Structures are given as structure tokens and as C-alpha cells.
Amino acid sequence: RAAHIPDYRFPENAAGALAALYRRAQYLNVESPKLFEIEVDKNTAAELLQNAQSDGQGFLDQETTHQILAAYGLPVVEMRLTRDADQAVTGAEEVGYPVALKVASEAIPHKSDVGGVLLDLPDAAAVRAGFAEIMQRVTEAYASGVIEGVYVQRMLPEGQEVVVGAVQDAQFGGLVMFGSGGVEVEGLKDVAFALAPLTDQDVDYLLANTWAGKKLAGFRSLPAADREAVIDVLVRIAQLVADFPQIKEMDINPLRVLPAGEGAYSIDVRLRV
């Protein structure tokens, strides 16, 4: 033990460890795994993380989070932080109607649960009424929370929704998660994990071992989604958490995946350092 040589008190543990090594050897011998080659702006991300101001739990604000994702080529939906109804209307005109409104508060992880999300607002009158409605609902449901305002976000076309995330494991480093997103993430528990950075075999594993990955090819009346865009997002998130271990956790839920060839976009993102 002083020489750090594994030893086991019981033969069952030794056999289990040997079995795991054998399965790993089989996995690697099928074909040498290949890392993806991607271009990222690591210096910009490093500067943003160094200068970022987090809340009491370590979460970064949405603007900084989006800038970090953009530095790594991750697609985000254009949004504006607004403090009153007039700013919300101006923001909606800038991003283009229809828009979604979403309460801006890092203390509220599930914004829809407290009435903090409104979708598909078509004009200025709907945005003004929606801003007031969200502020009233959230204040009543979450009086102790710090509310920064309301985000105005461009609405996206319909598509499949998945969740992509990552955490830093104490022993193994960056760990990437993929599965069914949106409101399904907690109910279905359809998730798979792989170590960062991802190889081609890791990506195949994540997609093949989740219903979210399988249905990207289409299912019954559900059209096929942009599988390559999902792979690109997975690879870039994995590289981000591998490059910056100070990122303790992050998740994109949902990642809206549009039809094949039309890309995927991060709708709601949380990043904690």
C-alpha cells in the first residue's frame, strides 16, 4: 500500500476490478478512439472566467455564461436582460418577434415552476403585459429571491429537446452528461455519462444509450433532428470543462435541436465556478 500497488482484502473485489479492466481493454481494442479536432477561443474564455463575478453559490450571470459558450463555438439564443417593461419592449424589437420572457434570477433554478416563463409573445402589448405578469408571479412565489429583471429571448422553431451538462468529478475530472431535456429530464432520468474530452466512441455511447440520442434519427411522427449539431455541442462542452477545471458544473436544458442541417441552440444555461 505504501507503494500504491492495488491490493484487495477479499477475492470478489479483485475479480470485479479485473473484470472492469478486461471490459475496458475490449472497448479500446475494437478501434482506437479518436479525439475531435475543434477550434476554440481558449484565451477569451480564460479571461472571462478570471474576471467573472459569481453569486453566493458560484453561478455566473447569463451574459457572461453566454460569452464563455460563444468563445467555445457553442450556439446560444440571442437575449436581453431588461429591468422594466419599456426595456423589455425595446429588447423584443432588437431580437425580433415572437419572443419568450424568462425571469432573471440565479436563485431560481426551475423558472417555469414559479411562473417565471412566458412563450411566443407576438407584439409589444403582449410583452408589456407579460413582464408585469412574471414579476407579480415570481414575487409572490419566491419573495426571498433576488430578481434581477426579465430576459427577453428570441423564440426558436419547434424541435427536439435534450439536456447536455458537465460536472467536475473529484477523481476523474470533467464528466459529460447527455439525455432527455426540457421538462422530461427529472421524470425520465434518461441520461448517460462519459469522461471529457470526448472521443468518437464516447459520443457514440452517449447517443446510443439514451432515448434522447436514439430519437434524433426520428420516431413515428417525430422528424429527424440535427444529430451532427448535437455531437458538436457535446464535444465543445467536454473540451470546455476539460480545459477549465474551475467550472464545477454546467448544464444546457433544454438544448433545442432543429431539423437535420438546421443546428441546435442553447435555450437555458447555468454555469457554476
Side-chain angles (χ1 to χ4, degrees):
R1 291 181 183 178
H4 302 293
I5 298 172
D7 70 303
Y8 302 89
R9 294 180 181 272
F10 301 100
E12 293 86 354
N13 295 341
L18 186 59
L21 289 172
Y22 175 71
R23 289 194 300 270
R24 178 67 176 169
Q26 282 189 312
Y27 171 76
L28 295 175
N29 285 335
V30 172
E31 183 180 347
S32 297
K34 300 179 180 63
L35 287 170
F36 293 82
E37 294 183 6
I38 57 173
E39 292 186 4
V40 299
D41 188 351
K42 187 175 180 179
N43 291 336
T44 295
E47 184 177 353
L48 287 165
L49 284 165
Q50 183 177 0
N51 298 327
Q53 299 292 323
S54 63
D55 66 6
Q57 295 178 305
F59 286 101
L60 303 187
D61 63 82
Q62 285 288 296
E63 183 177 358
T64 302
T65 299
H66 278 207
Q67 290 174 345
I68 292 169
L69 265 61
Y72 266 65
L74 287 156
V76 294
V77 183
E78 191 174 7
M79 63 164 42
R80 300 285 189 276
L81 175 60
T82 62
R83 311 286 185 180
D84 56 42
D86 289 336
Q87 289 184 4
V89 171
T90 301
E93 292 171 350
E94 290 175 351
V95 301
Y97 290 105
V99 298
L101 299 185
K102 180 170 56 179
V103 64
S105 175
E106 297 299 333
I108 306 175
H110 302 293
K111 298 172 177 60
S112 58
D113 291 352
V114 295
V117 178
L118 290 174
L119 303 176
D120 210 20
L121 304 181
D123 53 36
V127 169
R128 287 185 185 279
F131 186 97
E133 183 179 342
I134 284 180
M135 294 300 288
Q136 180 179 354
R137 284 180 182 177
V138 174
T139 302
E140 292 175 353
Y142 208 81
S144 61
V146 177
I147 302 171
E148 301 169 18
V150 171
Y151 287 113
V152 179
Q153 193 172 42
R154 178 173 64 89
M155 285 292 296
L156 287 173
E158 291 299 315
Q160 297 190 35
E161 293 192 341
V162 300
V163 60
V164 180
V167 296
Q168 292 290 344
D169 183 86
Q171 289 182 299
F172 297 106
L175 192 64
V176 178
M177 179 265 289
F178 173 77
S180 294
V183 296
E184 298 178 337
V185 63
E186 293 180 356
L188 293 182
K189 301 191 183 303
D190 171 47
V191 292
F193 297 86
L195 295 176
L198 298 179
T199 67
D200 54 346
Q201 293 182 20
D202 294 325
V203 169
D204 288 343
Y205 168 80
L206 291 173
L207 298 183
N209 286 274
T210 55
W211 169 234
K214 293 174 183 176
K215 71 177 181 179
L216 292 174
F219 180 75
R220 293 183 178 174
S221 61
L222 191 67
D226 199 332
R227 188 176 188 271
E228 293 304 315
V230 173
I231 292 174
D232 188 63
V233 169
L234 284 168
V235 170
R236 291 178 184 276
I237 282 185
Q239 192 63 55
L240 177 62
V241 296
D243 288 344
F244 298 103
Q246 64 264 48
I247 297 177
K248 294 304 179 187
E249 65 175 275
M250 67 173 295
D251 65 79
I252 300 174
N253 184 32
L255 177 74
R256 176 74 58 81
V257 190
L258 303 184
E262 297 183 22
Y265 292 89
S266 310
I267 293 181
D268 200 359
V269 188
R270 300 198 330 143
L271 189 153
R272 185 168 71 88
V273 294

